[in-house]
Amino acid sequence: MAAAVARIFERGGVLLAEAGTGTGKTLAYLVPAILNRERVLISTGTKNLQEQIFFKDIPALRDALGIPFTATYMKGRANYLCLHKLDRLNEGVGMAVNDVFLPIVREWAIRTETGDRAELEDLPEDVGFWSEVSATAETCLGTECPRYDDCFVTQMRQRAAASDVVIVNHHLLCADAAVRQNAYGEVIPACSRVIVDEAHQIEDIATQYFGYSLSNYRIDELARDVERVVTAGIVDDGNNEIARAVERLRDHSQAFFSDLAFAHRGSGRVKSEERVRATPESLGQTRETAAELSGALDVIESTFTLLPKIRQNEVDTDGRDDGIKEQIAALARRAGEVRDELRVLQRAADDAYVYFVEFRGRGIFLRAAPIDVSTIVRELLLDRMHTTVLTSATLTVDGSFDYIRSRLGIRDAAEVRLPSEFNFEEQAILYLPRRMPDPRSDNFATAAGREVIEILKRTRGRAFVLFTSYATLRAVQAIAEMALDYPILAQGAAPRSQLLKQFRARPHSVLFATSSFWQGVDVVGDALSCVIIDKLPFASPADPITAARIDAIRACGGDPFGEYQVPLAILALQQGLGRLIRHRRDRGVLAVLDPRLRTKGYGARFVASLPPAPLVYDLSAVEAFFSD
Ligand code: SF4
């Protein structure tokens, strides 16, 4: 792999490199990239991998290679502390002045060199307080900020601009490309060589970033920030004009989002997470409230566009300007942007996008996503770069790169495939139970529950049980909890990193989880000796993005099931099963409960792509494996 990367760095172009688990693919691309002596951008699927490369692989290479090079990592702005916001809180201005986490952040701010919240282990992942001090683009004052020079974001950019190796993640890579024109966005330094690790995720992440999205949360945040400049005394609202505009904004937002919900799900209940396709017709039902909301945003925009002029004299006579004009202008800009996006979304007129409403907890999102990201990937990576390496443990289907090539629009590319270093023959078995009902039948969950119990008794817990839906997860969990004494953890009970910590710390734990644990989770050793998957992970054709992609393939005369749905599910299954063997000494059982692997014609494609572990069909073989 290192030789293939070195060759592509020399002659330019695209390399597709699949390197199974344990091959050391990170070092295989880092070594030739560093030896090339030109700036290289590395993009990873997760922040975890970013940190692993920066804190583990780079120092090891610095010692081993004996040549000087500099490296840095960049994350999205929201990961960094905003010193200006912290200053305001320290002056007693802001909603979070009494927050329990403020002293922790204050104390850390003095000693941190990066301002990256990942250093703050005591701060829970999903704590709302962080948004009160984070360096988001929407609230940044840019060069007008009194702390601009010591700002962690400014420093991160300066470090990156002076580094040979810049490690980003796909979210940042896409966000950067999406906001390139905006001075306050993310700014990755110019670079002509990129290595995209975990490249199988690029389609999904580009889909998220190159669309439009408007939510009730986004408008609530805008309303809150507008109110904040009044309560903080930044603007004077003597005649309550701003207060009335905010009230109108909230009222119209509520009316619009409840119309939107009613038009797309009726008055019935929906699952905690659901997406429903939106069309110009369905959105027609919200025309009136959308126009009113748009009008309310107009008022905020024009009020704040006029304000700096009013305020200018006062600022000058105070002799201080803490970026007040900028804050006011930023609010006007935000209101205008939200209004423009609302109009684009409400028209739902661009055929290149699929429009949908997403319900998530109490959030209602009106979104548009690109149906085909290949042009975006071409413009973002392939055309801009002299060299692009796309690598992952799972890039091929049926032994070929055709699927990833077609999804990402890659024509000319060199290819290299390296099998896993692990000895699956010895280290694992693959258990496919003989008698399981059809996964769409009512008794599937009960049968799956029974199988899970029998398998876990033989593995003595120590397992990930991965589901394609919450409904089956909950049903199987309820059955398993009655029959097993092992500690059972379930996704949603705690943040992901905490669940993993508990899983590692408590012997014989069993973790029940859905899609987010299928990828990027690393548990080495005995604690994880079994991975059970309930169903083949087909993306639901009821999902608007999947449905739009199926329609697009069909419209071009293709076979969406064979060309898209099966390959996508194969890659997801490989990722899920890939959680088990992470080290040469790891051993364990993989189990797939879905009978379609054996009963359907396409099942053979799945079986052929599974890790080359011996297939077993009886629980006695599972028992024998663990008694060896
Ligand atoms: S430049 Fe922006 S992010 Fe940095 S401290 Fe100032 S307001 Fe915060």
Side-chain angles (χ1 to χ4, degrees), residues 77 82-85 135 139-142 145 147-148 151 153-154:
R77 300 186 52 119
C82 170
L83 288 170
H84 177 66
K85 283 186 182 171
T139 48
C140 177
L141 309 179
C145 171
R147 301 297 295 269
Y148 184 78
C151 169
V153 175
T154 313

Side-chain angles (χ1 to χ4, degrees), residues 99-135:
D99 199 288
V100 285
F101 293 109
L102 181 57
I104 299 175
V105 170
R106 197 181 276 146
E107 189 270 323
W108 164 72
I110 300 165
R111 53 190 167 84
T112 178
E113 284 180 15
T114 63
D116 175 2
R117 68 162 293 179
E119 294 174 8
L120 263 178
E121 281 181 5
D122 294 342
L123 193 71
E125 259 171 79
D126 45 1
V127 65
F129 170 72
W130 183 253
S131 67
E132 302 294 326
V133 286
S134 70

Side-chain angles (χ1 to χ4, degrees), residues 278-292:
T279 59
E281 293 73 46
S282 68
L283 290 167
Q285 297 175 50
T286 62
R287 190 174 301 124
E288 248 170 63
T289 42
E292 281 161 355

Side-chain angles (χ1 to χ4, degrees), residues 449 453 471-484 488 512:
I453 291 167
T472 322
L473 183 156
R474 277 190 288 267
V476 173
Q477 185 190 348
I479 298 168
E481 270 172 346
M482 283 190 287
L484 296 170
I488 290 188
F512 284 70

Side-chain angles (χ1 to χ4, degrees), residues 19-238:
T21 38
T23 39
K25 87 175 136 51
T26 319
L27 293 181
Y29 63 68
L30 282 175
V31 170
I34 292 167
L35 292 179
N36 184 62
R37 312 303 292 265
E38 268 183 56
R39 176 182 295 140
V40 60
L41 192 64
I42 315 278
S43 184
T44 67
T46 55
K47 285 189 237 169
N48 281 354
L49 182 56
Q50 250 186 305
E51 282 162 15
Q52 185 207 305
I53 293 174
F54 183 76
F55 291 107
K56 200 171 134 233
D57 299 325
I58 293 280
L61 284 176
R62 194 166 275 129
D63 291 343
L65 291 177
I67 56 166
F69 66 91
T70 49
T72 191
Y73 69 86
M74 299 178 85
K75 296 182 181 171
R77 300 186 52 119
N79 288 282
Y80 296 89
L81 175 69
C82 170
L83 288 170
H84 177 66
K85 283 186 182 171
L86 185 65
D87 285 349
R88 304 292 298 178
L89 289 175
N90 287 343
E91 286 161 15
V93 181
M95 318 260 270
V97 284
N98 294 319
D99 199 288
V100 285
F101 293 109
L102 181 57
I104 299 175
V105 170
R106 197 181 276 146
E107 189 270 323
W108 164 72
I110 300 165
R111 53 190 167 84
T112 178
E113 284 180 15
T114 63
D116 175 2
R117 68 162 293 179
E119 294 174 8
L120 263 178
E121 281 181 5
D122 294 342
L123 193 71
E125 259 171 79
D126 45 1
V127 65
F129 170 72
W130 183 253
S131 67
E132 302 294 326
V133 286
S134 70
T136 49
E138 290 206 317
T139 48
C140 177
L141 309 179
T143 46
E144 300 288 321
C145 171
R147 301 297 295 269
Y148 184 78
D149 290 336
D150 30 317
C151 169
F152 292 117
V153 175
T154 313
Q155 291 189 352
M156 164 193 68
R157 289 174 175 175
Q158 285 168 349
R159 261 198 316 274
S163 289
D164 301 313
V165 180
V166 180
I167 308 156
V168 300
N169 57 53
H170 301 343
H171 291 271
L172 180 64
L173 185 73
C174 291
D176 181 73
V179 298
R180 216 143 241 293
Q181 291 80 12
N182 175 348
Y184 307 132
E186 331 285 346
V187 181
I188 297 175
C191 204
S192 62
R193 298 172 194 276
V194 62
I195 294 168
V196 181
D197 201 341
E198 297 173 327
H200 61 280
Q201 296 181 15
I202 272 284
E203 183 179 14
D204 250 8
I205 297 174
T207 304
Q208 282 172 39
Y209 279 89
F210 290 88
Y212 303 92
S213 172
L214 182 67
S215 66
N216 52 342
Y217 292 146
R218 189 164 163 207
I219 298 197
D220 285 351
E221 257 169 48
L222 175 66
R224 243 196 338 261
D225 289 344
V226 169
E227 251 169 8
R228 196 171 291 166
V229 292
V230 178
T231 47
I234 292 169
V235 298
D236 180 16
D237 190 26

Side-chain angles (χ1 to χ4, degrees), residues 464-519:
F464 279 3
V465 191
L466 302 178
F467 295 87
T468 52
S469 75
Y470 273 107
T472 322
L473 183 156
R474 277 190 288 267
V476 173
Q477 185 190 348
I479 298 168
E481 270 172 346
M482 283 190 287
L484 296 170
D485 283 334
Y486 306 121
I488 290 188
L489 307 164
Q491 183 178 345
R496 185 181 143 108
S497 58
Q498 230 160 306
L499 278 178
L500 282 171
K501 220 181 247 174
Q502 289 174 20
F503 182 86
R504 291 190 181 100
R506 296 165 72 182
H508 302 283
S509 291
V510 179
L511 173 72
F512 284 70
T514 67
S515 55
S516 66
F517 282 82
W518 287 63
Q519 307 201 12

